Amino acid sequence: MEDVIIIGAGPCGLSAAIECQLQGLSVRVIEKYNIVHSIYLYPTHMQFFSTSEALEIGDIPFVTPGDKPFRHEALAYYRRVASHYNLQVNCYEEALSIDRKPEGTFTVRTRTSSGEELEYSARHVVISSGYFDHPNLLGIPGEEREKVTHYFREAHPYTGMKVAIIGGSNSAVDAAMELIRVGAEVTIVYRGEGISSHIKPWVKPLFESMIDKGRIQMRTSSRVISILQDRIVTESLTDGTTTELENDFVLALTGFRPDRKLLASAGVQMSDDMDKPVFDPETMESNIPGLYIAGVVASGRNANEVFIESGRGHGRLIARHIMNTPSSEA
């Protein structure tokens, strides 16, 4: 019997594990992939918007040469933190269900990468699963083609190719800037009327310059309505006119959404639109006593409601509440 089982080994899940462990609680972390898998899925050369200090967990300094760290530095940092605290992380093991027993404890059923199904008992459960497994789909003809991806890793495979980027967030801008460096012909198709105000301030002037110079084509107030093998069809949201563009690859960088299935199966109450779990923001406890929410899974439709710098504090609230709950046997 564990005191706490945490589902998800992202930064917020690791932070919750550390905070609980520091209180003397026995902790096991269940992770479907590798630790901080969401960061692993970021573009290879991505630089964070946040400072390294804002990404720290467990009071372990995140020392980097620059103010804003890169993806590879974050991966090394979180590996080091998990090792420092000797966290028990079961990687490549997927949580399938959470059942609360009449006496108030929980049974967590999992499946390993080899297909073996296991069961664990715990007094408390923290759900800190991420959202990168579930991209926001466009729902248009051709989205299933091999030339379409919702993940951008690096520019090299697109050298000299005609690439359409759907979206106008930082991920779209960063991808466009990398792509033009390898000679790709880049067209951004964005529903907004202009460049997003949330673009990284140190990137925005360079991006605007590339548009002004014609290095990047940008179609605002537009959407892609069909993806064909050698072209895409766009539609203007102002007058409804359509345009066909030659195309080799499509990067549909339209964001991601958290997976709610595990929450729902555990009986966690959702908001009226079934989009956001109901929990006490002072303790992060859901409507199920002893079952807590941490990290981005606590957000609504917009996953950007919760960042690492805000979600990393959830673990401290959870640990404090567990220790202050009279029924806790820890």
Side-chain angles (χ1 to χ4, degrees):
M1 172 77 72
E2 304 285 356
D3 290 323
V4 185
I5 286 181
I6 296 171
I7 298 171
C12 300
L14 295 178
S15 178
I18 291 167
E19 295 295 339
C20 289
Q21 191 167 287
L22 288 174
Q23 295 296 327
L25 300 168
S26 61
V27 181
R28 182 188 299 270
V29 183
I30 307 294
E31 168 55 50
K32 185 178 179 181
Y33 298 108
N34 49 274
I35 66 168
V36 294
H37 179 67
S38 59
I39 294 177
Y40 168 74
L41 290 176
Y42 288 170
T44 303
H45 307 294
M46 191 211 77
Q47 185 177 25
F48 280 84
F49 195 104
S50 306
T51 64
S52 56
E53 183 179 11
L55 302 176
E56 291 176 354
I57 60 174
D59 294 323
I60 302 296
F62 186 176
V63 180
T64 61
D67 182 41
K68 294 178 172 59
F70 288 85
R71 166 188 172 274
H72 71 277
E73 295 173 317
L75 292 176
Y77 169 75
Y78 290 115
R79 289 197 305 267
R80 180 164 62 89
V81 172
S83 176
H84 174 84
Y85 282 100
N86 196 27
L87 297 179
Q88 184 173 351
V89 183
N90 293 22
C91 291
Y92 302 100
E93 186 171 341
E94 180 181 6
L96 302 176
S97 65
I98 303 169
D99 297 312
R100 189 171 190 267
K101 300 303 181 183
E103 64 271 21
T105 61
F106 295 88
T107 297
V108 178
R109 188 166 60 88
T110 70
R111 183 188 295 122
T112 67
S113 57
S114 64
E116 181 182 9
E117 295 200 358
L118 302 173
E119 284 190 356
Y120 303 94
S121 296
R123 296 184 176 91
H124 311 275
V125 172
V126 179
I127 298 179
S128 186
S129 51
Y131 63 98
F132 259 99
D133 294 342
H134 304 277
N136 294 320
L137 300 179
L138 301 168
I140 61 174
E143 187 174 14
E144 74 287 349
R145 292 182 183 276
E146 289 187 10
K147 72 177 203 173
V148 181
T149 180
H150 293 272
Y151 301 89
F152 173 72
R153 301 308 301 273
E154 54 185 303
H156 177 76
Y158 305 102
T159 300
M161 298 289 102
K162 295 178 174 63
V163 183
I165 299 175
I166 303 174
S169 63
N170 275 296
S171 59
V173 171
D174 287 347
M177 295 298 288
E178 284 198 41
L179 286 167
I180 61 173
R181 295 189 188 105
V182 300
E185 296 181 31
V186 179
T187 300
I188 295 179
V189 183
Y190 181 43
R191 299 178 67 94
E193 296 180 358
I195 299 172
S196 171
S197 59
H198 300 294
I199 300 304
K200 299 170 186 175
W202 64 90
V203 174
K204 189 174 182 180
L206 298 174
F207 176 65
E208 291 175 330
S209 174
M210 293 300 100
I211 293 175
D212 292 341
K213 293 177 180 178
R215 297 282 306 281
I216 297 173
Q217 303 297 320
M218 187 157 185
R219 292 176 171 268
T220 56
S221 299
S222 298
R223 63 175 184 142
V224 175
I225 59 173
S226 180
I227 300 172
L228 306 173
Q229 190 58 44
D230 59 353
R231 61 196 187 279
I232 61 172
V233 182
T234 67
E235 179 185 58
S236 169
L237 297 177
T238 55
D239 58 19
T241 57
T242 60
T243 305
E244 291 192 2
L245 302 174
E246 292 183 2
N247 173 262
D248 297 307
F249 292 98
V250 175
L251 301 179
L253 306 182
T254 50
F256 301 85
R257 66 188 187 281
D259 187 356
R260 309 298 192 194
K261 291 196 298 290
L262 195 61
L263 289 167
S265 70
V268 174
Q269 184 180 347
M270 307 298 287
S271 57
D272 291 341
D273 59 2
M274 299 300 291
D275 188 58
K276 187 173 183 177
V278 175
F279 60 91
D280 182 346
E282 298 296 322
T283 66
M284 304 307 295
E285 189 176 34
S286 71
N287 60 292
I288 306 296
L291 196 155
Y292 300 85
I293 311 297
V296 72
V297 76
S299 66
R301 191 175 304 276
N302 179 12
N304 290 329
E305 288 180 28
V306 178
F307 296 93
I308 296 174
E309 50 263 51
S310 56
R312 63 180 178 166
H314 293 166
R316 189 162 297 175
L317 299 175
I318 292 168
R320 183 185 304 140
H321 186 254
I322 289 175
M323 297 306 295
N324 291 336
T325 301
S327 60
S328 174
E329 299 177 27

